[in-house]
C-alpha cells in the first residue's frame, strides 16, 4: 500500500500547474494577506463595520455589530 501511495505523490509544482487561475489568484491573495472576505446580503452589510471594530480592538463591538 505504501508503494501505491508513493506513486500517487506529485511534486508541488505539478499541483500548482493544475490549479485553475481563479484559485491560484485567490491563494496568492490569501498568502499576501490582501484577501478580504466579502459576504452578500444582510450579514455582508455589517461585516465591514465588525471588521473595523475588531481592527481597533473593540472585539465585543465587532461581535455585536448589526
Amino acid at each position: 500500500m505504501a508503494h501505491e501511495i508513493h506513486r500517487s505523490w506529485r511534486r508541488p509544482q505539478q499541483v500548482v500547474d493544475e490549479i485553475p487561475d481563479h484559485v491560484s489568484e485567490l491563494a496568492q491573495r490569501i498568502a499576501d494577506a490582501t484577501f478580504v472576505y466579502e459576504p452578500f446580503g444582510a450579514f455582508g452589510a455589517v461585516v465591514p463595520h465588525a471588521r473595523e471594530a475588531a481592527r481597533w480592538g473593540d472585539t465585543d463591538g465587532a461581535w455585536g455589530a448589526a
Side-chain angles (χ1 to χ4, degrees), residues 53-65:
R55 186 174 92 112
W56 292 103
D58 182 14
T59 54
D60 290 337
W63 278 106

